[in-house]
Coordinates of all heavy atoms in Angstrom, one line a residue:
M1 N -20.6 50.1 -31.5 CA -19.5 50.5 -30.5 C -19.3 52.0 -30.7 O -19.3 52.5 -31.8 CB -18.2 49.7 -30.9 CG -17.1 50.0 -29.9 SD -15.5 49.2 -30.3 CE -15.9 47.6 -30.9
K2 N -19.1 52.6 -29.5 CA -18.8 54.0 -29.5 C -17.4 54.3 -30.1 O -16.5 53.4 -30.0 CB -18.8 54.6 -28.1 CG -20.2 54.7 -27.6 CD -20.3 55.5 -26.3 CE -21.7 55.6 -25.9 NZ -21.8 56.3 -24.6
K3 N -17.2 55.4 -30.8 CA -16.0 55.7 -31.5 C -14.8 55.7 -30.5 O -13.7 55.3 -30.9 CB -16.1 57.1 -32.2 CG -15.0 57.3 -33.2 CD -15.3 58.5 -34.1 CE -14.3 58.6 -35.2 NZ -14.6 59.7 -36.1
A4 N -14.9 56.2 -29.3 CA -13.8 56.2 -28.4 C -13.2 54.8 -28.1 O -12.0 54.6 -28.1 CB -14.2 56.8 -27.0
Y5 N -14.1 53.8 -28.0 CA -13.6 52.4 -27.8 C -13.0 51.9 -29.1 O -12.0 51.2 -29.1 CB -14.8 51.5 -27.4 CG -15.4 51.9 -26.1 CD1 -16.7 52.3 -26.0 CD2 -14.6 51.8 -24.9 CE1 -17.2 52.7 -24.7 CE2 -15.2 52.2 -23.7 CZ -16.5 52.6 -23.6 OH -17.0 53.0 -22.4
A6 N -13.6 52.3 -30.3 CA -13.1 51.8 -31.5 C -11.7 52.4 -31.8 O -10.8 51.7 -32.3 CB -14.0 52.3 -32.7
I7 N -11.5 53.6 -31.4 CA -10.1 54.2 -31.5 C -9.1 53.5 -30.7 O -8.0 53.1 -31.2 CB -10.1 55.7 -31.2 CG1 -10.9 56.5 -32.2 CG2 -8.7 56.3 -31.0 CD1 -11.2 57.9 -31.8
L8 N -9.4 53.2 -29.5 CA -8.5 52.5 -28.6 C -8.3 51.0 -29.0 O -7.2 50.5 -29.0 CB -9.0 52.5 -27.1 CG -9.0 53.9 -26.5 CD1 -9.8 53.9 -25.2 CD2 -7.6 54.4 -26.3
T9 N -9.4 50.4 -29.5 CA -9.3 49.0 -30.0 C -8.4 49.0 -31.2 O -7.5 48.1 -31.4 CB -10.7 48.5 -30.4 OG1 -11.5 48.4 -29.2 CG2 -10.6 47.1 -31.0
N10 N -8.5 50.0 -32.1 CA -7.7 50.0 -33.3 C -6.2 50.2 -32.9 O -5.3 49.6 -33.5 CB -8.1 51.2 -34.2 CG -9.1 50.7 -35.3 OD1 -9.4 49.6 -35.4 ND2 -9.4 51.6 -36.2
D11 N -6.0 51.1 -31.9 CA -4.6 51.3 -31.4 C -4.0 49.9 -30.9 O -2.9 49.6 -31.2 CB -4.6 52.3 -30.3 CG -4.7 53.7 -30.8 OD1 -4.7 53.9 -32.0 OD2 -5.0 54.6 -30.0
L12 N -4.8 49.2 -30.1 CA -4.3 47.9 -29.6 C -4.1 46.9 -30.8 O -3.0 46.2 -30.8 CB -5.4 47.3 -28.7 CG -5.5 47.9 -27.3 CD1 -6.8 47.4 -26.6 CD2 -4.3 47.7 -26.5
L13 N -5.0 46.9 -31.8 CA -4.8 46.0 -32.9 C -3.6 46.4 -33.7 O -2.8 45.5 -34.2 CB -6.1 46.0 -33.8 CG -7.3 45.3 -33.1 CD1 -8.5 45.5 -34.0 CD2 -7.0 43.8 -33.0
Q14 N -3.4 47.7 -33.9 CA -2.3 48.1 -34.7 C -1.0 47.8 -34.0 O 0.0 47.3 -34.7 CB -2.4 49.6 -35.0 CG -1.3 50.2 -36.0 CD -1.5 49.5 -37.3 OE1 -2.6 49.6 -37.9 NE2 -0.5 48.9 -37.9
Q15 N -0.9 48.0 -32.7 CA 0.3 47.6 -32.0 C 0.6 46.1 -32.1 O 1.8 45.7 -32.3 CB 0.2 48.0 -30.5 CG 0.2 49.5 -30.3 CD 1.5 50.1 -30.7 OE1 2.6 49.5 -30.5 NE2 1.5 51.2 -31.4
Y16 N -0.4 45.3 -32.0 CA -0.2 43.8 -32.1 C 0.3 43.5 -33.5 O 1.3 42.8 -33.6 CB -1.5 43.1 -32.0 CG -1.4 41.6 -32.4 CD1 -0.9 40.7 -31.5 CD2 -1.8 41.2 -33.6 CE1 -0.7 39.4 -31.9 CE2 -1.6 39.9 -34.0 CZ -1.1 39.0 -33.1 OH -0.9 37.7 -33.5
H17 N -0.3 44.1 -34.6 CA 0.2 43.8 -35.9 C 1.6 44.3 -36.2 O 2.4 43.7 -36.9 CB -0.8 44.2 -37.0 CG -2.1 43.4 -37.0 ND1 -2.1 42.1 -37.4 CD2 -3.3 43.7 -36.6 CE1 -3.3 41.6 -37.3 NE2 -4.1 42.5 -36.8
N18 N 1.9 45.5 -35.6 CA 3.3 46.0 -35.8 C 4.3 45.1 -35.1 O 5.3 44.8 -35.7 CB 3.4 47.4 -35.2 CG 2.7 48.5 -36.0 OD1 2.3 48.2 -37.2 ND2 2.4 49.6 -35.4
K19 N 4.0 44.7 -33.9 CA 4.9 43.8 -33.2 C 5.1 42.4 -33.9 O 6.2 41.9 -34.1 CB 4.4 43.5 -31.8 CG 4.5 44.7 -30.9 CD 3.9 44.4 -29.5 CE 3.9 45.6 -28.6 NZ 3.2 45.4 -27.3
K20 N 4.0 41.9 -34.4 CA 4.0 40.7 -35.2 C 4.9 40.8 -36.4 O 5.7 40.0 -36.7 CB 2.6 40.2 -35.6 CG 2.5 38.9 -36.3 CD 1.1 38.6 -36.7 CE 1.1 37.3 -37.5 NZ -0.3 37.0 -37.9
E21 N 4.7 41.9 -37.2 CA 5.4 42.2 -38.4 C 6.9 42.3 -38.1 O 7.8 41.7 -38.8 CB 4.9 43.4 -39.1 CG 5.6 43.7 -40.4 CD 5.0 44.9 -41.1 OE1 3.8 45.2 -41.0 OE2 5.8 45.6 -41.8
N22 N 7.2 43.1 -37.0 CA 8.6 43.2 -36.6 C 9.3 41.9 -36.2 O 10.4 41.6 -36.6 CB 8.8 44.2 -35.5 CG 8.5 45.7 -35.9 OD1 8.6 46.0 -37.1 ND2 8.2 46.5 -35.0
L23 N 8.5 41.1 -35.5 CA 9.0 39.8 -35.1 C 9.3 38.9 -36.3 O 10.3 38.2 -36.3 CB 8.0 39.2 -34.1 CG 8.5 37.8 -33.5 CD1 9.8 38.0 -32.7 CD2 7.4 37.3 -32.6
N24 N 8.4 38.9 -37.2 CA 8.5 38.1 -38.4 C 9.7 38.5 -39.3 O 10.2 37.8 -40.1 CB 7.2 38.1 -39.2 CG 6.1 37.2 -38.6 OD1 6.4 36.3 -37.8 ND2 4.9 37.5 -38.8
C25 N 10.1 39.8 -39.2 CA 11.2 40.3 -39.9 C 12.5 40.0 -39.3 O 13.6 40.1 -39.9 CB 11.1 41.8 -40.1 SG 9.8 42.3 -41.2
A26 N 12.5 39.6 -38.0 CA 13.7 39.3 -37.2 C 14.2 37.9 -37.6 O 13.6 36.9 -37.1 CB 13.5 39.4 -35.7
T27 N 15.1 37.8 -38.5 CA 15.6 36.5 -39.0 C 16.4 35.7 -38.0 O 16.5 34.5 -38.2 CB 16.4 36.7 -40.3 OG1 17.5 37.5 -40.0 CG2 15.5 37.3 -41.4
A28 N 16.9 36.3 -37.0 CA 17.8 35.6 -36.1 C 17.0 35.1 -34.9 O 17.5 34.6 -33.9 CB 18.9 36.5 -35.5
T29 N 15.7 35.1 -34.9 CA 14.8 34.7 -33.8 C 14.4 33.2 -34.1 O 13.9 32.9 -35.1 CB 13.5 35.5 -33.8 OG1 13.9 36.9 -33.6 CG2 12.7 35.2 -32.6
A30 N 14.7 32.4 -33.0 CA 14.3 31.0 -33.1 C 12.8 30.9 -33.2 O 12.1 31.7 -32.6 CB 14.8 30.3 -31.9
E31 N 12.3 29.8 -33.9 CA 10.9 29.7 -34.1 C 10.2 29.5 -32.7 O 9.1 30.1 -32.6 CB 10.6 28.4 -34.9 CG 9.2 28.3 -35.3 CD 8.6 29.5 -36.0 OE1 9.3 30.2 -36.8 OE2 7.4 29.8 -35.8
A32 N 10.7 28.8 -31.8 CA 10.1 28.7 -30.5 C 9.9 30.0 -29.8 O 8.9 30.3 -29.2 CB 10.9 27.7 -29.6
V33 N 11.0 30.9 -29.9 CA 10.9 32.2 -29.3 C 9.9 33.1 -30.0 O 9.1 33.8 -29.4 CB 12.3 32.9 -29.3 CG1 12.3 34.3 -28.9 CG2 13.3 32.1 -28.4
R34 N 9.9 33.0 -31.3 CA 8.9 33.7 -32.1 C 7.5 33.4 -31.7 O 6.6 34.2 -31.5 CB 9.1 33.4 -33.6 CG 8.3 34.2 -34.6 CD 8.5 33.8 -36.0 NE 9.8 33.5 -36.4 CZ 10.7 34.5 -36.8 NH1 10.4 35.7 -36.8 NH2 12.0 34.1 -37.1
Q35 N 7.2 32.1 -31.6 CA 5.8 31.6 -31.2 C 5.5 32.1 -29.8 O 4.4 32.5 -29.6 CB 5.7 30.1 -31.3 CG 4.3 29.7 -31.3 CD 3.4 30.3 -32.3 OE1 3.7 30.3 -33.5 NE2 2.3 30.9 -31.9
L36 N 6.4 32.0 -28.9 CA 6.2 32.4 -27.5 C 5.9 33.9 -27.5 O 5.0 34.4 -26.8 CB 7.4 32.1 -26.6 CG 7.3 32.4 -25.2 CD1 6.2 31.5 -24.5 CD2 8.6 32.2 -24.5
S37 N 6.6 34.7 -28.3 CA 6.4 36.1 -28.3 C 5.1 36.5 -28.9 O 4.4 37.4 -28.5 CB 7.5 36.8 -29.1 OG 8.8 36.6 -28.5
L38 N 4.7 35.8 -30.0 CA 3.4 36.0 -30.6 C 2.3 35.7 -29.7 O 1.3 36.4 -29.6 CB 3.2 35.2 -31.9 CG 4.0 35.7 -33.1 CD1 3.9 34.7 -34.3 CD2 3.5 37.0 -33.6
N39 N 2.4 34.6 -28.9 CA 1.4 34.3 -27.9 C 1.3 35.4 -26.8 O 0.2 35.7 -26.4 CB 1.7 32.9 -27.3 CG 1.5 31.8 -28.2 OD1 0.8 31.9 -29.2 ND2 2.1 30.6 -27.9
D40 N 2.5 35.9 -26.4 CA 2.5 37.0 -25.4 C 1.8 38.2 -26.0 O 1.0 38.9 -25.3 CB 3.9 37.3 -25.0 CG 4.0 38.4 -24.0 OD1 3.4 38.2 -22.9 OD2 4.6 39.4 -24.3
Y41 N 2.1 38.6 -27.2 CA 1.4 39.7 -27.9 C -0.1 39.6 -27.9 O -0.8 40.5 -27.6 CB 2.0 40.0 -29.3 CG 3.4 40.3 -29.4 CD1 4.1 40.1 -30.6 CD2 4.2 40.7 -28.3 CE1 5.4 40.4 -30.8 CE2 5.5 41.0 -28.5 CZ 6.2 40.8 -29.7 OH 7.5 41.1 -29.8
A42 N -0.5 38.4 -28.3 CA -2.0 38.1 -28.4 C -2.6 38.2 -27.0 O -3.7 38.7 -26.8 CB -2.2 36.8 -29.0
F43 N -1.9 37.7 -26.0 CA -2.4 37.7 -24.6 C -2.6 39.2 -24.2 O -3.6 39.6 -23.6 CB -1.5 37.0 -23.7 CG -1.8 37.1 -22.2 CD1 -2.9 36.4 -21.7 CD2 -1.1 37.9 -21.4 CE1 -3.3 36.6 -20.4 CE2 -1.5 38.1 -20.0 CZ -2.6 37.4 -19.5
R44 N -1.5 40.0 -24.4 CA -1.6 41.4 -24.0 C -2.7 42.1 -24.8 O -3.4 43.0 -24.2 CB -0.3 42.1 -24.2 CG 0.8 41.6 -23.3 CD 2.2 42.1 -23.6 NE 3.2 41.5 -22.8 CZ 3.6 42.0 -21.6 NH1 3.0 43.1 -21.1 NH2 4.5 41.4 -20.9
L45 N -2.9 41.8 -26.0 CA -4.0 42.4 -26.8 C -5.3 42.0 -26.1 O -6.2 42.9 -25.9 CB -4.0 41.9 -28.2 CG -5.1 42.2 -29.1 CD1 -5.3 43.7 -29.3 CD2 -5.0 41.5 -30.4
S46 N -5.5 40.8 -25.8 CA -6.7 40.3 -25.2 C -7.0 41.0 -23.9 O -8.1 41.4 -23.6 CB -6.7 38.8 -25.0 OG -7.8 38.3 -24.4
V47 N -6.0 41.1 -23.0 CA -6.1 41.8 -21.8 C -6.5 43.3 -21.9 O -7.4 43.8 -21.2 CB -4.8 41.7 -20.9 CG1 -4.8 42.6 -19.7 CG2 -4.6 40.3 -20.5
G48 N -5.9 43.9 -22.9 CA -6.3 45.3 -23.2 C -7.7 45.5 -23.6 O -8.4 46.4 -23.1
M49 N -8.2 44.6 -24.5 CA -9.5 44.7 -24.9 C -10.5 44.3 -23.8 O -11.6 44.8 -23.8 CB -9.7 43.8 -26.2 CG -9.1 44.6 -27.4 SD -9.8 44.1 -28.9 CE -8.9 42.6 -29.3
E50 N -10.1 43.3 -23.0 CA -11.0 43.0 -21.8 C -11.1 44.1 -20.9 O -12.2 44.4 -20.4 CB -10.4 41.8 -21.1 CG -10.6 40.4 -21.8 CD -9.9 39.3 -21.1 OE1 -9.3 39.5 -20.0 OE2 -10.1 38.2 -21.6
G51 N -10.1 44.9 -20.8 CA -10.2 46.1 -19.9 C -11.1 47.1 -20.5 O -11.9 47.7 -19.8
L52 N -11.1 47.3 -21.8 CA -12.0 48.2 -22.5 C -13.4 47.7 -22.3 O -14.3 48.5 -22.1 CB -11.6 48.4 -24.0 CG -10.4 49.2 -24.3 CD1 -10.2 49.1 -25.8 CD2 -10.5 50.6 -23.9
A53 N -13.6 46.4 -22.5 CA -15.0 45.9 -22.3 C -15.5 46.1 -20.9 O -16.7 46.4 -20.7 CB -15.0 44.4 -22.7
S54 N -14.6 46.0 -19.9 CA -15.0 46.2 -18.5 C -15.4 47.6 -18.3 O -16.4 47.9 -17.6 CB -13.9 45.8 -17.6 OG -13.7 44.4 -17.6
V55 N -14.6 48.6 -18.9 CA -15.0 50.0 -18.8 C -16.3 50.3 -19.4 O -17.2 51.0 -18.8 CB -13.9 50.9 -19.4 CG1 -14.3 52.3 -19.5 CG2 -12.6 50.8 -18.6
A56 N -16.5 49.7 -20.6 CA -17.8 50.0 -21.3 C -19.0 49.4 -20.5 O -20.0 50.1 -20.3 CB -17.8 49.3 -22.7
R57 N -18.8 48.2 -19.9 CA -19.9 47.6 -19.1 C -20.1 48.4 -17.9 O -21.3 48.7 -17.5 CB -19.5 46.2 -18.8 CG -20.5 45.3 -18.2 CD -21.6 44.8 -19.1 NE -21.1 43.9 -20.1 CZ -21.7 43.6 -21.2 NH1 -22.9 44.2 -21.5 NH2 -21.2 42.8 -22.1
A58 N -19.1 48.9 -17.2 CA -19.2 49.7 -16.0 C -19.9 51.0 -16.3 O -20.6 51.6 -15.5 CB -17.9 49.9 -15.3
A59 N -19.7 51.5 -17.5 CA -20.3 52.8 -17.9 C -21.7 52.6 -18.4 O -22.4 53.6 -18.8 CB -19.4 53.5 -19.0
G60 N -22.2 51.4 -18.4 CA -23.6 51.1 -18.9 C -23.7 51.1 -20.4 O -24.8 51.1 -20.9
D61 N -22.6 51.0 -21.1 CA -22.6 50.9 -22.6 C -22.5 49.4 -23.0 O -21.5 48.9 -23.4 CB -21.4 51.7 -23.1 CG -21.4 51.8 -24.6 OD1 -22.3 51.2 -25.3 OD2 -20.5 52.4 -25.2
D62 N -23.7 48.8 -22.9 CA -23.7 47.3 -23.2 C -23.4 47.0 -24.6 O -22.9 46.0 -24.9 CB -25.1 46.8 -22.7 CG -25.2 46.8 -21.2 OD1 -24.2 46.7 -20.5 OD2 -26.4 46.8 -20.8
V63 N -23.8 47.9 -25.5 CA -23.6 47.7 -27.0 C -22.1 47.6 -27.2 O -21.6 46.7 -27.9 CB -24.3 48.8 -27.8 CG1 -23.9 48.6 -29.3 CG2 -25.8 48.7 -27.7
S64 N -21.3 48.6 -26.7 CA -19.9 48.6 -26.9 C -19.3 47.4 -26.2 O -18.4 46.7 -26.7 CB -19.3 49.9 -26.4 OG -19.7 51.0 -27.2
A65 N -19.7 47.1 -25.0 CA -19.2 46.0 -24.2 C -19.3 44.7 -24.9 O -18.4 43.9 -25.0 CB -19.8 46.0 -22.8
D66 N -20.5 44.5 -25.5 CA -20.8 43.2 -26.2 C -19.9 43.1 -27.5 O -19.3 42.0 -27.7 CB -22.3 43.2 -26.7 CG -23.2 43.0 -25.5 OD1 -22.8 42.6 -24.4 OD2 -24.4 43.2 -25.7
A67 N -19.7 44.2 -28.2 CA -18.8 44.2 -29.4 C -17.4 43.9 -29.0 O -16.7 43.1 -29.6 CB -18.9 45.5 -30.1
L68 N -17.0 44.5 -27.9 CA -15.6 44.3 -27.4 C -15.4 42.9 -26.9 O -14.4 42.3 -27.2 CB -15.2 45.3 -26.3 CG -15.0 46.7 -26.8 CD1 -15.2 47.7 -25.7 CD2 -13.7 46.9 -27.5
E69 N -16.4 42.4 -26.2 CA -16.3 41.0 -25.8 C -16.2 40.0 -26.9 O -15.5 39.0 -26.9 CB -17.4 40.7 -24.8 CG -17.2 41.3 -23.5 CD -18.5 41.3 -22.6 OE1 -19.5 40.8 -23.0 OE2 -18.4 41.8 -21.4
S70 N -16.9 40.3 -28.0 CA -16.9 39.5 -29.2 C -15.5 39.5 -29.8 O -15.0 38.5 -30.2 CB -17.9 40.0 -30.2 OG -17.8 39.3 -31.4
L71 N -14.9 40.7 -29.8 CA -13.5 40.8 -30.3 C -12.5 40.0 -29.5 O -11.6 39.4 -30.0 CB -13.1 42.3 -30.4 CG -13.6 43.1 -31.6 CD1 -13.3 44.5 -31.4 CD2 -13.0 42.5 -32.9
V72 N -12.7 40.1 -28.2 CA -11.9 39.3 -27.2 C -12.0 37.9 -27.5 O -10.9 37.2 -27.6 CB -12.2 39.6 -25.8 CG1 -11.5 38.6 -24.8 CG2 -11.9 41.1 -25.4
S73 N -13.2 37.4 -27.8 CA -13.4 35.9 -28.1 C -12.7 35.6 -29.4 O -12.0 34.5 -29.5 CB -14.9 35.6 -28.2 OG -15.5 35.7 -27.0
M74 N -12.8 36.4 -30.4 CA -12.1 36.2 -31.6 C -10.6 36.1 -31.4 O -9.9 35.2 -31.9 CB -12.3 37.3 -32.6 CG -13.7 37.3 -33.3 SD -14.0 38.7 -34.4 CE -12.6 38.5 -35.5
C75 N -10.0 37.0 -30.7 CA -8.6 37.1 -30.4 C -8.1 35.8 -29.6 O -7.1 35.3 -29.9 CB -8.2 38.3 -29.7 SG -8.3 39.8 -30.7
N76 N -8.9 35.4 -28.7 CA -8.6 34.3 -27.9 C -8.6 33.0 -28.7 O -8.0 32.0 -28.3 CB -9.6 34.1 -26.7 CG -9.3 35.2 -25.6 OD1 -8.2 35.8 -25.6 ND2 -10.2 35.4 -24.7
C77 N -9.3 33.0 -29.8 CA -9.4 31.9 -30.7 C -8.3 32.0 -31.8 O -8.2 31.2 -32.7 CB -10.7 31.7 -31.4 SG -12.0 31.2 -30.2
G78 N -7.4 33.0 -31.7 CA -6.4 33.2 -32.7 C -6.8 33.9 -34.0 O -6.0 34.0 -34.9
E79 N -8.0 34.5 -34.0 CA -8.5 35.3 -35.1 C -8.3 36.7 -34.8 O -9.3 37.4 -34.4 CB -9.9 34.9 -35.4 CG -10.2 33.5 -35.7 CD -11.6 33.1 -35.7 OE1 -12.5 34.0 -35.9 OE2 -12.0 32.0 -35.5
I80 N -7.1 37.3 -35.0 CA -6.8 38.7 -34.7 C -7.2 39.5 -35.9 O -6.5 39.4 -37.0 CB -5.4 38.9 -34.4 CG1 -4.9 37.8 -33.4 CG2 -5.1 40.3 -33.9 CD1 -4.9 38.0 -32.0
P81 N -8.2 40.4 -35.8 CA -8.6 41.2 -36.9 C -7.6 42.4 -37.2 O -6.8 42.7 -36.3 CB -10.0 41.8 -36.5 CG -10.0 41.7 -35.1 CD -9.1 40.6 -34.6
S82 N -7.7 42.9 -38.3 CA -6.9 44.1 -38.6 C -7.7 45.4 -38.1 O -8.9 45.3 -38.0 CB -6.7 44.3 -40.1 OG -6.0 43.2 -40.6
P83 N -7.1 46.5 -37.9 CA -7.8 47.7 -37.5 C -8.8 48.0 -38.6 O -8.6 47.7 -39.8 CB -6.7 48.8 -37.5 CG -5.4 48.0 -37.2 CD -5.6 46.7 -37.9
V84 N -9.9 48.7 -38.2 CA -10.9 49.0 -39.2 C -11.1 50.5 -39.4 O -10.6 51.3 -38.6 CB -12.3 48.4 -38.7 CG1 -12.2 46.9 -38.6 CG2 -12.7 49.0 -37.3
S85 N -11.8 50.9 -40.4 CA -12.2 52.3 -40.6 C -13.1 52.8 -39.5 O -14.0 52.1 -39.0 CB -12.9 52.5 -41.9 OG -13.4 53.8 -42.1
L86 N -12.9 54.0 -39.0 CA -13.6 54.5 -37.9 C -14.8 55.4 -38.3 O -15.5 55.9 -37.5 CB -12.7 55.3 -37.0 CG -11.5 54.6 -36.4 CD1 -10.6 55.5 -35.7 CD2 -12.0 53.5 -35.5
E87 N -15.1 55.5 -39.6 CA -16.1 56.4 -40.1 C -17.5 56.0 -39.6 O -18.3 56.9 -39.4 CB -16.1 56.4 -41.6 CG -14.8 56.9 -42.2 CD -14.7 56.7 -43.7 OE1 -15.6 56.1 -44.3 OE2 -13.7 57.2 -44.3
H88 N -17.8 54.8 -39.5 CA -19.2 54.4 -39.2 C -19.5 54.2 -37.7 O -20.6 53.7 -37.3 CB -19.6 53.1 -40.0 CG -18.8 51.9 -39.6 ND1 -17.5 51.7 -40.0 CD2 -19.0 50.9 -38.7 CE1 -17.0 50.6 -39.5 NE2 -17.9 50.0 -38.7
F89 N -18.6 54.5 -36.8 CA -18.8 54.4 -35.4 C -19.5 55.6 -34.8 O -19.2 56.8 -35.3 CB -17.5 54.2 -34.6 CG -16.9 52.8 -34.9 CD1 -16.0 52.6 -35.9 CD2 -17.4 51.7 -34.2 CE1 -15.5 51.4 -36.2 CE2 -16.8 50.4 -34.4 CZ -15.9 50.3 -35.4
S90 N -20.4 55.4 -33.8 CA -21.1 56.6 -33.2 C -20.2 57.3 -32.2 O -19.2 56.7 -31.8 CB -22.3 56.1 -32.5 OG -22.0 55.2 -31.5
A91 N -20.5 58.5 -32.0 CA -19.7 59.3 -31.0 C -19.9 58.8 -29.7 O -19.3 58.5 -28.9 CB -20.2 60.8 -31.1

């Protein structure tokens, strides 16, 4: 995956995890509301990454698009990864 997509993906993942952590710290939140909010956060994360995958595919960057689509699938299955180190991504 190109570094530009990795940076944006990391931003999306970080935002998801920040929202999740903040929601889990909110003690006055009913469990049903908490779960609904987490589902909404995951949905928005998935939509954001699908958008990035579409951009990569339209730009002819099939390698990045495939990687992003794999992440979308993981997120849609409830397996939300943590942000990763950006050192090994290509320019």
Side-chain angles (χ1 to χ4, degrees):
M1 180 186 321
K2 287 187 177 176
K3 193 169 189 174
Y5 298 116
I7 290 168
L8 294 170
T9 298
N10 266 4
D11 287 348
L12 289 169
L13 290 169
Q14 190 61 56
Q15 288 299 315
Y16 169 83
H17 287 290
N18 288 346
K19 289 175 183 177
K20 180 180 176 183
E21 185 177 327
N22 288 340
L23 184 62
N24 286 335
C25 290
T27 57
T29 304
E31 188 55 37
V33 172
R34 184 182 320 275
Q35 192 57 50
L36 185 64
S37 295
L38 285 174
N39 290 343
D40 181 61
Y41 297 160
F43 173 75
R44 291 172 187 272
L45 171 64
S46 179
V47 168
M49 286 204 278
E50 285 176 359
L52 287 176
S54 293
V55 169
R57 189 75 65 201
D61 185 359
D62 291 333
V63 172
S64 293
D66 291 344
L68 288 161
E69 288 168 357
S70 176
L71 283 172
V72 169
S73 293
M74 285 177 59
C75 292
N76 288 342
C77 291
E79 301 170 23
I80 314 264
S82 296
V84 297
S85 171
L86 299 173
E87 296 170 355
H88 64 280
F89 289 95
S90 62

